[in-house]
Amino acid sequence: MAVIEPLDSGSASSTRTPLPRPPPRSGDFTYAQPSDQPRDVDSTLKSWDSVPLFMKDLPTDADADTQTALDALQSLAFDGSPDEVAANFKQQANDYFRARRFREALGFYSQAIDAHPHDQALLETLHANRAACHLELHNYGSTLRDTSAVLAINAKNEKAYYRAAKALIALDRCKDAVDCCDHALGANPDNDAIAALKLKAETRLAAVEKSQAEAKERTRRADLMAKAIQQALVVRGLWLETTPRPPDNPTPAHFDPSSAPSIPLTGPESSKWTVPDVIRTPLVVPVFFMYPQHAQSDFISDFHEDTPLAEYLSTIFPSSSRGSLPWDKAGEYYDGNLVVYASTRRQRLLKLGRKLTLRHVMDQAYKDAEPGMDKVRDRDGLVMHDGILSLVVVPKGDAEKQWVDKFKAQRDNN
């Protein structure tokens, strides 16, 4: 009969290798949560990042034991056939995707693809899922590359068409998105999601095309209007001169908007738009009222050519405000005591009646060239410097006489 004898603990410890310590309990892991708190998927997944088996990135300062475990896990991750390795990474990627951690999922799907699986169905799924990650992360170019890879394997993959169309719409390539949806509906005409996406792309495409057409037509009209304005100014006998550094002019000369109907930029009515008549359509031009006696001025940005000079003078210098201007100490600048002058390109000085409109002033200033002289180069008229006309306003009496004498003296000296 066998007899079981007690072991000598002293001698056994000197000849046998001690057994390894049992693995820690789940409560010792950093990813374990107290039982009295509700589980949070995001925080739980994040805590797993410190566990070698679930790390997404390898630490650079791992201790020797941790590094040994990481090396072993790395070899296990790539242990097996390409399809098995890819399937392993795909499973990890799916877990992160379900937790809406798309960037981490993207990394695992990429590792699965980099394993070069032979199973085409698996490769198709990997590219399709990575495209979904790129779409969520707004990487639209990468989305299109992955969906192209899917369709190269399976030309009837409806998810690939759907994700590609969404990426194309986001990139404002609506025409391509409609074409993409047409291919998808060719594979499955009953796909309501694709049909809805196509309608969205078509609506956006129509809006984009309309906007582009309006911009093109707006540019065309602006070019024609600019030429017409130049013709209208020349027809009124003006000389147009520009300096190397013209001042800012926010309201250049333009046709009176109320004199022409509003025509839409696109649509059947758009063809009715025509360039305004350069002679009959009133102009609105910027004008300087100059007060040389005090080196002051007023800028009238929208002087309508059919408005009398008196209307602007009575607005700027009402008799009731006589003497209120800080620079008019003598109180000479008030309605009824002012005279307006204009000078032409050939230095003719014109004294203007208060009831004259600006159009009348321009007509009176115009003078044909003398016989035998160039009809264009030697004609005379008001000068528009940098798109702005200038008129001189002086008080009646001595101030007027002094300014006129000074103007004539300077003209004679030149």
Side-chain angles (χ1 to χ4, degrees), residues 236-237 239 344 346 348 350 362-371 374-376 378-382:
R236 286 159 174 77
W239 278 89
T344 68
R346 299 181 66 180
R348 286 187 300 124
L350 306 176
M362 290 186 284
D363 290 342
Q364 287 189 8
Y366 177 77
K367 184 179 180 181
D368 287 326
E370 298 292 338
D374 188 288
K375 292 183 178 181
V376 176
D378 295 320
R379 63 183 175 82
D380 196 17
L382 295 183

Side-chain angles (χ1 to χ4, degrees), residues 89-360:
F89 282 126
K90 172 178 172 288
Q91 182 58 48
Q92 296 178 69
N94 291 344
D95 292 339
Y96 278 108
F97 190 91
R98 282 191 288 269
R100 301 190 62 80
R101 295 181 65 176
F102 303 113
R103 197 167 299 280
E104 291 87 346
L106 177 66
F108 280 112
Y109 284 131
S110 295
Q111 290 188 74
I113 293 171
D114 291 342
H116 303 295
H118 302 300
D119 186 340
Q120 292 299 292
L122 174 59
L123 188 59
E124 175 187 349
T125 301
L126 292 173
H127 279 291
N129 291 357
R130 190 169 73 171
C133 292
H134 280 306
L135 190 61
E136 292 288 348
L137 296 171
H138 300 172
N139 302 331
Y140 302 120
S142 298
T143 302
L144 295 177
R145 283 189 287 273
D146 268 323
T147 52
S148 296
V150 173
L151 296 173
I153 299 172
N154 178 9
K156 295 184 178 182
N157 190 303
E158 296 173 36
K159 289 184 178 180
Y161 283 120
Y162 181 82
R163 290 162 188 167
K166 291 195 73 173
L168 289 167
I169 292 175
L171 293 171
D172 237 1
R173 293 171 55 183
C174 298
K175 190 172 182 179
D176 292 334
V178 172
D179 182 66
C180 182
C181 291
D182 285 338
H183 280 81
L185 293 173
N188 180 9
D190 298 326
N191 191 319
D192 293 337
I194 294 288
L197 198 59
K198 179 184 177 181
L199 178 60
K200 180 180 179 180
E202 288 175 335
T203 303
R204 175 62 182 157
L205 178 61
V208 170
E209 289 178 344
K210 181 181 179 182
S211 178
Q212 292 173 344
E214 288 178 345
K216 184 178 180 180
E217 176 63 10
R218 191 179 293 110
T219 300
R220 186 185 76 87
R221 292 186 186 184
D223 291 341
L224 293 175
M225 286 290 280
K227 294 176 181 178
I229 290 292
Q230 293 291 312
Q231 293 174 0
L233 295 174
V234 173
V235 165
R236 286 159 174 77
L238 298 180
W239 278 89
L240 309 181
E241 295 184 358
T242 305
T243 58
R245 299 181 64 182
D248 291 335
N249 186 4
T251 54
H254 57 276
F255 292 109
D256 181 1
S258 64
S259 63
S262 177
I263 305 295
L265 293 168
T266 57
E269 295 293 317
S270 63
S271 60
K272 296 181 179 180
W273 185 88
T274 58
V275 176
D277 188 299
V278 297
I279 297 177
R280 295 181 177 86
T281 308
L283 279 179
V284 179
V285 299
V287 175
F288 265 126
F289 273 179
M290 313 292 291
Y291 318 126
Q293 185 184 10
H294 300 285
Q296 299 290 329
S297 66
D298 278 311
F299 180 67
I300 304 171
S301 62
D302 52 356
F303 200 123
H304 196 289
E305 68 173 356
D306 291 335
T307 304
L309 300 176
E311 185 170 323
Y312 287 99
L313 291 175
S314 61
T315 301
I316 299 173
F317 302 106
S319 298
S320 58
S321 301
R322 179 180 177 181
S324 62
L325 297 171
W327 47 269
D328 182 23
K329 302 297 183 182
E332 297 177 299
Y333 280 79
Y334 62 93
D335 187 29
N337 189 48
L338 300 173
V339 183
V340 183
Y341 283 89
S343 62
T344 68
R345 176 174 177 268
R346 299 181 66 180
Q347 296 294 295
R348 286 187 300 124
L349 187 62
L350 306 176
K351 187 174 183 177
L352 309 176
R354 291 166 51 84
K355 294 182 179 181
L356 291 178
T357 65
L358 188 60
R359 180 66 182 266
H360 291 146

Side-chain angles (χ1 to χ4, degrees), residues 33-54:
Q33 297 183 357
S35 58
D36 59 345
Q37 294 184 7
R39 284 197 172 275
D40 180 356
V41 175
D42 288 337
S43 59
T44 300
L45 288 173
K46 185 176 181 180
S47 69
W48 286 359
D49 293 343
S50 61
V51 180
L53 181 60
F54 301 104

